[in-house]
Amino acid sequence: MLPLPAPSALRRCADRWAVSPRAMDLVAALSAFGLMVLDVPGLARADNSLTGVTATLVLAAGAATLVLRRRAPWVPFAVALVLMGWLHELTMIQFALYSLGRFRGRRTAVLATLLYVAAAYAYFQTPGWPARHGEALSDFLSLVVPIGVLAAGVGIAAYRHDLVRALEAERREAAARQAVQEERISVGRDVHDLVGRELTVLAVRAEVLAARAGRDAGGEAYRKDFEELADTARRAHRTLNETLVRRADECAAPGLDGLAALAEESGRIGSPVHLEVAEEAKALSPLRQTAVHRVVRECLTNAAKHAPGLPVTVTITVEGPELRVEVRNPLAPAPPDRAPVSTGTGLVSMAERVTSMGGTLTARREHGAYVVRATLPAGLGQSHRAARPRGAAAPSGAVGGAP
């Protein structure tokens, strides 16, 4: 016996299908059929050789063509014209004109509306067409034209709304890509500054050792090796200079020492910060400290925007081989008086920086608070991790007026 899918899986599948284009097309077809089926008693009494059952089947077949309204909207339009001439049914034409305006745009909708009015006028001039649709041409057009224009106009408005939403989605995606690119450039610059300095020190040390080896007895055999090591370090530094964009400001990137200044600044603008930094974290490499500084800075900026005046807790710990950063602030009871100015790419930049270093970042609401967690490889040796029990943090105190 095959296992039945779990109710939660069925619910997720139903939710996905409910908002799918196919579901919307089916709803449109059923809505059109539901409106047209109200005319079945009159159609059965009219002189059109249809009974109640056959009239229902004909209307159902016509409404079913609306499932093609995205791929082939001219099909339901043609069927609507046939139903209008044969059964004098005007409901289907409204759905057809709306679909043409919605999925083909203004020009197609205007052309279809003109064709509809021309076909309706031709039907009006046909002998035997029912007089109840208007004894005079003006009466007839006052009924036919508004129906077509209104349906097509609503469809065109929906089409333009879809275009605006698509453009906004593309703009957000472009902004996210730009944020990722800028973050990668920033990481590259940090690598240039930090690694380049180490390569310079390595080259200088190798040259010093080569000079000493030349002066010492028996050291001449190692002099060539030291000189080659210095040349290798210089070539590596030159490669960095050619590959990465140089920083305009040659100052060292901020690290954990700059967190206190960030916390004090946040406290001055009304968001007190409680900062806890484990002692082991101070032994992190400069590149990891820069990543932590950027994550904390972005989190404090977001907290000041979306939850002004509420306390923020920043905890930085080293647990085994992992460095953990957690920034937590309560959710604001009400939105800020003024909507915060934001591009929506801050989390993207943080995630890109953390991911580029082999870590992970999550940001979500938890029990009335907004929590950002970043986990990175600590890159510390056993001697650093053994200095303090696992998971212990050395608090640096409440900074910025924490409660």
Side-chain angles (χ1 to χ4, degrees):
M1 182 176 180
L2 296 176
L4 296 176
S8 58
L10 291 175
R11 190 180 303 109
R12 288 195 299 269
C13 182
D15 292 340
R16 287 195 299 268
W17 189 86
V19 297
S20 66
R22 292 182 179 179
M24 297 297 101
D25 295 341
L26 182 59
V27 168
L30 292 176
S31 300
F33 175 69
L35 292 174
M36 290 190 297
V37 80
L38 299 176
D39 296 334
V40 168
L43 296 178
R45 292 193 301 267
D47 185 15
N48 52 28
S49 304
L50 293 178
T51 64
V53 175
T54 56
T56 301
L57 294 177
V58 168
L59 295 179
T65 60
L66 285 172
V67 298
L68 304 174
R69 66 191 189 122
R70 295 175 190 268
R71 293 171 292 175
W74 288 105
V75 173
F77 177 75
V79 171
L81 292 181
V82 172
L83 292 178
M84 184 176 65
W86 179 21
L87 304 178
H88 324 299
E89 178 61 59
L90 296 178
T91 301
M92 182 70 182
I93 196 66
Q94 299 176 56
F95 284 85
L97 287 173
Y98 169 82
S99 300
L100 282 167
R102 174 71 182 274
F103 303 113
R104 291 297 183 270
R106 181 179 59 184
R107 293 183 179 179
T108 302
V110 171
L111 175 61
T113 303
L114 294 176
L115 291 176
Y116 155 69
V117 173
Y121 177 73
Y123 288 145
F124 179 79
Q125 298 296 335
T126 301
W129 220 63
R132 62 185 178 84
H133 283 282
E135 297 181 358
L137 179 60
S138 59
D139 297 335
F140 174 73
L141 293 179
S142 66
L143 172 67
V144 171
V145 174
I147 290 177
V149 172
L150 179 61
V154 174
I156 293 171
Y159 176 78
R160 298 189 64 179
H161 180 68
D162 290 343
L163 286 180
V164 170
R165 289 195 301 178
L167 290 175
E168 290 179 350
E170 291 182 0
R171 181 185 60 80
R172 289 193 297 268
E173 184 178 354
R177 287 197 301 267
Q178 183 179 0
V180 169
Q181 187 65 25
E182 290 176 353
E183 191 63 26
R184 288 177 178 175
I185 293 175
S186 179
V187 171
R189 289 172 175 171
D190 292 339
V191 170
H192 171 270
D193 292 341
L194 300 172
V195 178
R197 178 181 177 277
E198 299 300 325
L199 288 174
T200 301
V201 172
L202 176 61
V204 172
R205 292 286 296 167
E207 291 173 351
V208 171
L209 291 176
R212 290 178 179 177
R215 292 194 301 266
D216 295 341
E220 189 65 28
Y222 302 102
R223 179 177 181 178
K224 184 178 181 180
D225 294 336
F226 287 130
E227 290 177 348
E228 290 180 353
L229 180 59
D231 290 339
T232 301
R234 282 192 292 269
R235 286 197 302 271
H237 197 185
R238 188 161 48 249
T239 301
L240 277 177
N241 289 338
E242 295 172 353
T243 304
L244 304 176
V245 180
R246 293 194 177 190
R247 298 185 72 154
D249 183 7
E250 294 298 330
C251 298
L256 297 184
D257 294 338
L259 295 181
L262 286 180
E264 292 176 0
E265 181 182 2
S266 180
R268 285 195 299 269
I269 63 177
S271 296
V273 177
H274 184 77
L275 180 64
E276 294 184 0
V277 181
E279 190 67 27
E280 300 94 320
K282 298 179 180 179
L284 294 171
S285 67
L287 194 60
R288 286 179 173 81
Q289 292 195 30
T290 299
V292 173
H293 185 278
R294 296 285 173 84
V295 170
V296 173
R297 183 181 67 184
E298 185 64 33
C299 290
L300 294 181
T301 301
N302 290 340
K305 289 179 181 178
H306 302 285
L310 297 179
V312 183
T313 302
V314 179
T315 306
I316 301 172
T317 58
V318 177
E319 299 182 8
E322 293 182 340
L323 166 68
R324 298 182 182 273
V325 181
E326 180 181 289
V327 183
R328 177 187 298 265
N329 63 270
L331 294 175
D337 295 335
R338 291 187 176 183
V341 178
S342 176
T343 60
T345 59
L347 285 177
V348 176
S349 299
M350 284 194 294
E352 174 63 22
R353 174 169 286 271
V354 173
T355 303
S356 68
M357 301 187 65
T360 58
L361 184 137
T362 60
R364 56 174 177 249
R365 299 184 178 189
E366 291 183 2
H367 309 295
Y370 192 77
V371 183
V372 177
R373 292 190 179 92
T375 303
L376 301 91
L380 299 177
Q382 294 293 334
S383 59
H384 290 100
R385 293 199 295 268
R388 184 175 295 275
R390 177 180 176 87
S396 61
V399 183

